[in-house]
């Protein structure tokens, strides 16, 4: 199978995708390609942002298959926020911890309830600046007001997937990689790539 460039500098995401794709796929992030600059995420949907990144990176890396994702947390009680702003919910230079603090603060303003929501992921495969395939994945769950665990990244310590008593901050990577939004989008993408790429 051809090598895949995952259009991110986030080492966590590269490791996740490499683990999920498994052998014989070889996955690299953009740290090895410092000349590739991803465009600003100006889209209003996950798909629009993923297409922007995949097409720009694949145009800058001729002959290479590129996957880009845009993903985030949608909380029903917050009308779908933080959504496409998940990575910068607390500001443009926000850390994961900053974003969790803001989310907890926003939820604390609401009447006590079970806060339902989901992680949503869109993956886009591109080559030579052209989109080849798009997939989506989601995992439903509830948001906690207190963090549990230090595993994963982003909002993981606050998100308890349906059917589990613990958050993604506690659940082992093998479990998360089977049911996460990225895993579900990637399973569809992997099936398409195995059928269409050689």
């Amino acid at each position: 199978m051809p090598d895949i460039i995952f259009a991110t500098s986030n080492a966590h995401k590269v490791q996740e995708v490499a683990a999920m794709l498994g052998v014989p796929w070889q996955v690299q992030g953009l740290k090895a390609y410092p000349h590739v600059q991803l465009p600003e995420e100006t889209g209003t949907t996950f798909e629009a942002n993923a297409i922007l990144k995949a097409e720009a990176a694949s145009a800058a890396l001729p002959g290479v298959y590129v996957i880009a994702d845009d993903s985030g947390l949608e909380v029903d009680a917050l009308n779908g926020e933080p959504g496409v702003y998940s990575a910068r919910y607390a500001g443009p230079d926000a850390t994961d911890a900053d974003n969790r603090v803001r989310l907890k603060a926003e939820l604390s303003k609401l009447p006590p309830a079970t806060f339902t929501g989901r992680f949503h992921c869109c993956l886009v495969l591109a080559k030579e600046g052209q989109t080849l395939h798009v997939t989506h994945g989601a995992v439903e769950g509830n948001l906690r007001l207190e963090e549990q665990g230090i595993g994963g990244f982003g909002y993981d310590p606050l998100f308890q997937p349906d059917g589990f008593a613990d958050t993604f901050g506690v659940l082992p990577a093998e479990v998360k990689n089977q049911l996460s939004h990225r895993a579900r989008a990637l399973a569809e993408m992997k099936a398409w790539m195995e059928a269409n790429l050689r």
Side-chain angles (χ1 to χ4, degrees):
M1 293 298 179
D3 289 354
I4 299 290
I5 303 298
F6 192 58
T8 182
S9 298
N10 185 322
H12 291 293
K13 285 187 178 182
V14 176
Q15 288 168 359
E16 268 193 3
V17 169
M20 290 178 208
L21 281 180
V23 179
W25 300 96
Q26 296 295 317
V27 182
Q28 292 185 71
L30 286 181
K31 288 205 169 164
Y33 304 93
H35 67 286
V36 177
Q37 297 294 313
L38 295 180
E40 187 179 347
E41 295 181 7
T42 54
T44 57
T45 65
F46 295 123
E47 184 169 324
N49 283 331
I51 287 172
L52 277 173
K53 292 186 282 188
E55 291 186 350
S58 66
L61 295 165
V64 174
Y65 289 100
V66 173
I67 290 178
D69 89 318
D70 196 36
S71 55
L73 179 67
E74 299 170 325
V75 181
D76 295 326
L78 298 175
N79 299 313
E81 289 186 1
V84 294
Y85 304 106
S86 292
R88 51 195 189 279
Y89 194 40
D93 299 316
T95 64
D96 287 349
D98 295 334
N99 289 327
R100 291 194 299 273
V101 167
R102 174 161 183 210
L103 179 63
K104 288 184 287 186
E106 296 296 330
L107 291 175
S108 295
K109 296 174 187 175
L110 302 175
T114 298
F115 297 115
T116 58
R118 70 209 48 80
F119 278 121
H120 186 124
C121 174
C122 176
L123 288 178
V124 173
L125 176 70
K127 187 178 183 183
E128 313 288 354
Q130 298 292 317
T131 293
L132 301 179
H133 195 60
V134 178
T135 61
H136 290 265
V139 55
E140 301 285 335
N142 297 315
L143 280 303
R144 293 185 172 201
L145 291 176
E146 298 295 329
E147 296 185 25
Q148 182 202 33
I150 57 171
F153 58 98
Y155 298 93
D156 285 355
L158 294 174
F159 185 81
Q160 180 180 324
D162 285 351
F164 292 84
D166 293 314
T167 69
F168 274 158
V170 170
L171 292 170
E174 316 84 75
V175 173
K176 182 185 171 187
N177 287 352
Q178 288 177 354
L179 58 91
S180 77
H181 54 312
R182 192 167 293 109
R184 291 173 176 177
L186 194 62
E188 285 189 33
M189 184 65 78
K190 180 180 179 182
W192 189 90
M193 292 191 303
E194 287 175 346
N196 292 278
L197 305 187
R198 286 289 182 271

